[in-house]
Amino acid sequence: MKNKIDHFAHKSKSWDMNSKRVQNAKGIADLIVKNIELSPSMEIMDFGAGTGLLSYFVAPYVGKITAVDNSPSMLLEFTKKCDEFACRTEVMEKDLSVDTLERKFDGITSSMTIHHVKDQKALFSKLYDMLKEKGFIAIADLDSEDGSFHSDNTGVFHHGFDRKELENIAKEAGFKHIRFDHANTISKPHHDFTVFLMTAVK
């Protein structure tokens, strides 16, 4: 594997300590549980799983979560606490913007990750291919913002998303029953940022 820079190496240990992050993940997870019929027979993928904040709150409702992330340091933190998860877990270090994963899942969840992926059309096609028939996606990210959400925009390709544009990309990939809900508002000293949850099925 070629040497790559892990932009999150210095952040992974303190990542979970940020209570706003925990609250955001829990708000997103609660909405996923409310909007999607999860079951213990399901294996889902958490794309951009990081230290497992979203996975932790979804775990009681599914059978297995496969955590996919391109940051080894984040996944190390995930692995350290996976015994606390209420379902089986598997960890895979993959960068889905370049790698493919020859697996099929009942669902794919993702929180605050897709703004780090440049090519959304390619990503949504890939997500579609990784789902079983009638599988779901539940993707949370920022609504369009002015670029001030991150203090450092290294590795950030999108300053949030226009919901209509994202809906069109998902439709083009083949997704149906696309809906958007308000998941959370993240308040920073200079601005409030809204987070959506986008759900769709194959």
Side-chain angles (χ1 to χ4, degrees):
M1 196 172 173
K2 64 180 190 296
N3 285 334
K4 58 185 181 53
I5 299 162
D6 182 352
H7 292 299
F8 290 91
H10 63 295
K11 297 176 181 171
S12 56
K13 292 222 173 359
S14 61
W15 197 254
D16 287 1
M17 301 303 126
N18 183 324
S19 64
K20 270 187 189 159
R21 230 171 247 131
V22 177
Q23 286 161 5
N24 189 44
K26 186 169 188 320
I28 292 162
D30 288 347
L31 198 52
I32 290 172
V33 170
K34 185 178 150 211
N35 288 359
I36 292 169
E37 208 173 310
L38 299 174
S39 79
S41 65
M42 286 182 168
E43 179 185 350
I44 66 169
M45 176 176 96
D46 187 1
F47 166 52
T51 61
L53 283 181
L54 182 65
S55 295
Y56 180 80
F57 293 116
V58 174
Y61 303 94
V62 297
K64 182 181 176 184
I65 293 176
T66 299
V68 176
D69 202 292
N70 65 355
S71 167
S73 57
M74 286 284 198
L75 289 175
L76 183 64
E77 297 300 314
F78 184 107
T79 307
K80 280 180 191 169
K81 65 184 180 203
C82 63
D83 290 349
E84 300 163 29
F85 283 55
C87 74
R88 290 176 296 124
T89 58
E90 180 185 354
V91 168
M92 298 185 82
E93 188 192 324
K94 286 266 185 195
D95 181 352
L96 288 186
S97 63
V98 289
D99 302 325
T100 48
L101 193 55
E102 302 302 325
R103 292 269 291 273
K104 299 273 186 194
F105 299 92
D106 296 295
I108 297 170
T109 60
S110 179
S111 172
M112 308 296 281
T113 296
I114 66 167
H115 62 260
H116 292 291
V117 180
K118 193 170 190 174
D119 188 342
Q120 294 298 307
K121 286 186 180 181
L123 176 66
F124 274 82
S125 291
K126 208 171 272 192
L127 297 178
Y128 189 86
D129 290 342
M130 286 189 288
L131 286 173
K132 294 176 186 172
E133 211 51 50
K134 296 198 168 77
F136 71 86
I137 52 169
I139 294 174
D141 215 299
L142 294 161
D143 283 303
S144 296
E145 49 103 4
D146 61 4
S148 66
F149 179 80
H150 295 86
S151 52
D152 176 6
N153 279 314
T154 307
V156 174
F157 292 104
H158 306 273
H159 299 312
F161 294 94
D162 176 277
R163 296 183 186 193
K164 196 73 201 157
E165 281 175 24
L166 215 52
E167 182 182 349
N168 290 337
I169 289 169
K171 265 185 192 156
E172 214 173 283
F175 284 103
K176 301 187 287 282
H177 309 307
I178 302 160
R179 77 176 260 185
F180 287 83
D181 289 280
H182 174 77
N184 199 8
T185 300
I186 299 173
S187 295
K188 296 204 171 192
H190 60 289
H191 199 50
D192 286 351
F193 299 90
T194 54
V195 176
F196 62 79
L197 176 70
M198 173 194 198
T199 54
V201 293
K202 179 167 178 171

